[in-house]
Amino acid sequence: MRAIAVTKSKVLLVLAMVAGGLMYGGSAASAATRTIDLCAKPGIATLTGAVTVPIWGFGIPTTPGDCSTATASLPGPQFDVSLSATEATTVTFNVINALPAGHSITFEIPGITFDAGPADVASGGTLTRSFTAPVSPSASGAANAAGTYLYGSGGDGGRQQAMGLYGALIVRPSTPGQAYESGTTAYNVEAPLVLSAVDPAFNNAPDPMAFNMYTYRATYWLINGKTYPDTAGITAAAGQKVLLRYLNAGYDNTTMMLLGMHEHVVAKDAWPLTNAYDATADTIPAGATEDAIATVPDGGGPSSNGFPLFNRQLHLTNGDQTDTSPAPLPGGGMLTFIHP
């Protein structure tokens, strides 16, 4: 009887160890997983009205592994990853290169530390890149923590990003309604703003590799792939906090200005600032990201459309303004409004 009792006790101990994840080869600190399939492929983008340009862009295949079921967009799809309060999160990108033969792609996210492995892939191949984000809330300065990140391909000497291979990755803390772990980054309305530009002469070139980049001259200035008046407005009521997630995918440092209110800059390049500051205009370097929170004041905006948010360098036109036949399009560019 005693032997039976000992055996029964061992069985109960083993079951308890399995349940607790303490057996050899297991771990109590498991990881949540997220897999994202992407295609890099040619496509067409509408800038404004009837103006379209060829692009190379990212798209999500509706049938895994089949890029014929993906549509390239400008910018690429926005991806949101919410961190867990109990376990690390592993994110894996499977990127298929469906560009024309001879064009290798990379997949890069400044500020994200990827696991060891290949960083580029030839046309027709698949590039797999993974990173692990920490448990949330995470310690200050933790790698791959919550923040606003710009993904893209730096292939062909940067020409691939100029053609449209870029997009936004937002890593969110486990606490909803915050940009970062600190409660000082709480917000009511979120507006990711991917800033970029297009030179139609470059995009329409038969071979982007043969285009002389010294002659590159952007004539369309975009917010989330559109120029005003086709840009989407930001809807927010008086007293609400608007989180402006700026991502500069262009090649120029871009200053964005907000009329009628201040913005409180809380992070740069997915790094929370120790000394946040207020600004009416702030410069986002090429390839950088910035997070700012603006509180909508009472009394309405300075414009009948609301509070203008626009490019301070006054890139507020569409098309080549030196071309008078036909007449250049009036107004436009990198402009939107915060409105009720």
Side-chain angles (χ1 to χ4, degrees):
M1 293 297 293
R2 188 175 185 277
I4 294 175
V6 170
T7 302
K8 187 174 182 179
S9 297
K10 288 182 177 178
V11 170
L12 292 175
L13 177 60
V14 169
L15 291 175
M17 293 173 68
V18 170
L22 300 176
M23 290 296 288
Y24 180 77
S27 172
S30 59
T33 60
R34 172 80 185 279
T35 300
I36 297 170
D37 293 327
L38 266 180
C39 291
K41 61 179 294 184
I44 298 292
T46 300
L47 302 181
T48 187
V51 178
T52 63
V53 291
I55 63 167
W56 291 350
F58 289 108
I60 302 173
T62 56
T63 300
D66 183 359
C67 284
S68 68
T69 66
T71 300
S73 63
L74 184 70
Q78 176 182 311
F79 296 107
D80 295 77
V81 174
S82 294
L83 300 183
S84 168
T86 59
E87 56 187 358
T89 301
T90 298
V91 181
T92 298
F93 287 90
N94 296 315
V95 187
I96 301 174
N97 183 357
L99 296 183
H103 296 281
S104 296
I105 65 168
T106 66
F107 189 76
E108 305 161 5
I109 308 177
I112 290 292
T113 302
F114 284 106
D115 297 344
D120 65 334
V121 68
S123 180
T126 299
L127 177 63
T128 297
R129 305 210 74 182
S130 298
F131 70 90
T132 300
V135 174
S136 174
S138 57
S140 177
N144 304 337
T148 302
Y149 298 92
L150 179 69
Y151 71 81
S153 173
D156 291 334
R159 294 166 187 259
Q160 291 180 10
Q161 185 159 320
M163 284 291 291
L165 285 170
Y166 54 81
L169 168 68
I170 297 175
V171 179
R172 303 182 185 279
S174 58
T175 303
Q178 292 181 187
Y180 291 85
E181 302 291 4
S182 171
T184 61
T185 64
Y187 63 90
N188 305 108
V189 176
E190 178 183 68
L193 303 165
V194 181
L195 312 174
S196 60
V198 168
D199 177 359
F202 170 68
N203 285 71
N204 282 297
D207 180 7
M209 293 302 294
F211 188 87
N212 181 0
M213 296 302 285
Y214 286 106
T215 68
Y216 183 95
R217 186 169 67 90
T219 55
Y220 287 87
W221 305 86
L222 318 176
I223 298 177
N224 294 333
K226 298 293 183 182
T227 65
Y228 188 80
D230 294 337
T231 51
I234 303 167
T235 303
Q240 288 191 310
K241 295 181 177 180
V242 181
L243 171 62
L244 302 169
R245 294 187 183 266
Y246 298 113
L247 304 98
N248 188 358
Y251 285 90
D252 295 301
N253 295 345
T254 298
T255 302
M256 295 300 290
M257 185 169 187
L258 185 59
L259 288 186
M261 67 174 88
H262 288 83
E263 56 184 13
H264 191 61
V265 181
V266 297
K268 292 177 178 286
D269 295 326
W271 191 277
L273 298 179
T274 302
N275 298 305
Y277 60 91
D278 290 336
T280 55
D282 209 40
T283 299
I284 304 97
T289 70
E290 179 173 301
D291 298 284
I293 297 174
T295 301
V296 181
D298 294 326
S303 159
S304 59
N305 291 324
F307 299 88
L309 176 62
F310 63 97
N311 181 295
R312 184 60 182 83
Q313 288 96 334
L314 299 182
H315 292 306
L316 302 175
T317 55
N318 293 335
D320 188 350
Q321 299 298 296
T322 64
D323 184 1
T324 58
S325 179
L329 297 172
M334 198 176 284
L335 167 67
T336 188
F337 291 86
I338 299 175
H339 58 81

